[in-house]
Amino acid sequence: MKKKKIIFWIATIFIVIWEGAMPLGTLLFAPQYVNAGTKPLGYPDYFAYTLIICKVLGVIAIAIPQFHAKLKEWAYAGLTFSLLFAFISHACVDKNITYMLLPLIVLGILMLSYVYRSKIVGTNRATQQNTYTGASAIS
């Protein structure tokens, strides 16, 4: 159980930094670079701001344990769509293999966070059910 939590938190902290802290830092401390990634792909300037806000809200929902499970599912889905569309945009527009692979690598780490979150939640539910039914936690 401890190994699962460590893997989950390492992956989740990476996602929080990459998808939340870095874009928010750019918005706050280097606003001239906010649209540096979206402008060359042909997106309007306001799209970068919207993307940053949605990413920050998503990582907040994923990182804070008290958030409702359905909200976490939506946050994982939103970040997944964002990363898939980043890959598709780079594949169609600039065809730079590095720019195409980076969203897929981050998506892999996001998937790791999601899978291990599910394993932790599933283990906790099984333990709670065994406790309520009087069964031992070993079964």
Side-chain angles (χ1 to χ4, degrees), residues 13-14 22 60 107 114 136:
I13 288 169
F14 177 84
M22 285 176 40
I60 288 170
L107 179 60
Y114 179 78
S136 70

Side-chain angles (χ1 to χ4, degrees), residues 29-95:
F29 302 112
Q32 67 273 21
Y33 298 113
V34 164
N35 61 357
T38 54
K39 191 80 158 175
L41 295 172
Y43 291 109
D45 289 343
Y46 65 83
F47 182 73
Y49 294 98
T50 306
L51 197 57
I52 290 171
I53 291 167
C54 291
K55 284 181 175 188
V56 169
L57 291 174
V59 298
I60 288 170
I62 287 171
I64 298 177
Q66 291 81 11
F67 273 86
H68 193 272
K70 286 285 185 197
L71 186 61
K72 288 182 182 291
E73 294 285 330
W74 278 92
Y76 276 108
L79 290 170
T80 298
F81 290 134
S82 170
L83 292 165
L84 285 174
F85 290 135
F87 165 75
I88 292 168
S89 294
H90 287 295
C92 292
V93 176
D94 57 21
K95 296 172 182 58

